[in-house]
Amino acid sequence: MSDPLDTPDADTAALLAGFAAAAADQPTIAQVTVDDTRRGIHELFLALGGLPPAVGPMQDLAVPGGDPGGDGGARPARLYRPADGAPPWPAVLFLHGGGWSLGDVDCYDSVCRWLCRDGGLAVLSLDYRLAPEHPYPAGLDDAAAAYAWMVARADALGLDPRRIAVAGDSAGGTLAAALCLRRRRLGLSLPAAQALLYPVLALDREGELPSRRAYGGGAYFLTEEAIAWAKANYLGGRDQLAAEPEVSPLWAPDLSGLPPALVVTAGLDPLRDEGALYARRLAGAGGVARHHHVPGTIHAFLSFPTALEAGRKGLTDVAQALRALLA
């Protein structure tokens, strides 16, 4: 299934060399606490996110969570509005990456600003609940509640209710794809589009995805060890859930009737095979699926625009492609 082995471009090679030097003699992800890993990822993403692009008015909000009567009450979120044009704007619910255990609105501030500026999109970035404290389906429940709230409040927020997409980065891509599957199953209106940015789409039958082994050994940022760590946190020991369509959307038996999709993959990413296969399966089920593949770079490249030309160009390309799906 996987294409011939890719090789890093010059920017990516330099960044990987820096990562390797910094990781020398350091403990692995399984040997440190979740809080320590969260701090490290936060610092890395802020450092490589660059100077955030200027956008229009921003607003920090509290939106309904997926368990209003429990610990999934109101969730923090940030709404970015374009500097140009007038409402109602096409909009996107953005679900950050981090293996369902890491990341937050601040880590993805640069990505969301870029999408807002270059796509002319209003972006609602959600801080959903994280594992292992809140395993599946907490994060997905929060995403579903936030999307429903966006649609219901579209007029008050200056959004076009007919043009609200969902986008997810890495583990957020799992949530975005699963949100579409859930709403279809429940007979609810679907997002106008879905943008899946190097998504995790399979926590089951991983052996059928050669790129997991080809690029997950430690040389290309994301590792198989990190994916296994994230899976354990997300499922909380309930490995039987891995085959569920909302956990492994790639293997959902029916992908018909889903929103138009943009699927972004990277050449050196362990997740590249599942993204490419998902795009093919969506198209084969009669849907619209644009697969945007970026060779020579790594997982999370869109979060590293200060270091990677692929990140800078990719952010603009993704913003414009998503806007085109919402035209």
Side-chain angles (χ1 to χ4, degrees), residues 61-72:
L61 301 167
V63 306
D67 182 18
D71 58 8

Side-chain angles (χ1 to χ4, degrees), residues 220-242:
Y220 301 113
F221 183 60
L222 180 63
T223 65
E224 287 190 288
E225 179 186 24
I227 297 169
W229 175 88
K231 174 180 176 178
N233 287 341
Y234 190 46
L235 298 185
R238 300 163 298 162
D239 289 350
Q240 74 278 7
L241 295 176

Side-chain angles (χ1 to χ4, degrees), residues 19-313:
F19 286 164
D25 301 321
Q26 295 298 309
T28 68
I29 192 169
Q31 296 171 326
V32 297
T33 67
V34 172
D35 285 342
D36 284 343
T37 304
R38 286 173 179 159
R39 281 190 289 270
I41 287 294
H42 193 269
E43 292 170 1
L44 175 67
F45 276 51
L46 289 186
L48 293 178
L51 182 66
V55 297
M58 292 167 41
Q59 185 177 7
D60 286 324
L61 301 167
V63 306
D67 182 18
D71 58 8
R75 300 302 308 160
R78 184 173 298 158
L79 179 62
Y80 303 79
R81 294 183 175 93
D84 301 322
W89 291 288
V92 58
L93 171 64
F94 183 83
L95 305 169
H96 67 75
W100 314 283
S101 299
L102 316 171
D104 55 29
V105 165
D106 288 334
C107 287
Y108 287 81
D109 180 64
S110 182
V111 170
C112 290
R113 286 171 178 259
W114 218 298
L115 295 178
C116 177
R117 184 194 67 181
D118 287 10
L121 303 166
V123 180
L124 183 73
S125 181
L126 176 68
D127 260 335
Y128 55 85
R129 285 172 291 168
L130 299 178
E133 299 92 336
H134 305 287
Y136 171 82
L140 177 58
D141 290 346
D142 289 344
Y147 177 79
W149 179 84
M150 278 184 81
V151 173
R153 296 278 297 162
D155 290 343
L157 296 170
L159 314 180
D160 183 344
R162 300 164 302 170
R163 295 192 292 164
I164 299 178
V166 60
D169 172 296
S170 191
T174 322
L175 302 181
L179 173 58
C180 295
L181 289 167
R182 176 180 286 192
R183 289 187 68 88
R184 185 195 63 176
R185 175 173 57 83
L186 296 175
L188 301 172
S189 62
L190 296 175
Q194 54 180 322
L196 311 178
L197 314 179
Y198 27 76
V200 190
L201 294 170
L203 293 184
D204 187 41
R205 296 161 54 186
E206 297 100 324
E208 298 179 33
L209 303 165
S211 63
R212 290 286 189 97
R213 297 184 300 278
Y215 301 108
Y220 301 113
F221 183 60
L222 180 63
T223 65
E224 287 190 288
E225 179 186 24
I227 297 169
W229 175 88
K231 174 180 176 178
N233 287 341
Y234 190 46
L235 298 185
R238 300 163 298 162
D239 289 350
Q240 74 278 7
L241 295 176
E244 293 293 322
E246 290 183 0
V247 175
S248 294
L250 177 63
W251 306 126
D254 178 14
L255 295 180
S256 63
L258 293 169
L262 170 68
V263 183
V264 176
T265 57
L268 301 167
D269 188 353
L271 305 180
R272 83 178 202 183
D273 282 352
E274 56 216 83
L277 180 54
Y278 198 65
R280 292 197 295 272
R281 288 202 63 214
L282 286 170
V288 174
R290 177 182 174 187
H291 178 206
H292 181 67
H293 181 68
V294 183
T297 197
I298 55 173
H299 186 76
F301 71 94
L302 296 173
S303 288
F304 305 147
T306 57
L308 300 177
E309 171 62 25
R312 295 187 291 275
K313 183 178 186 303

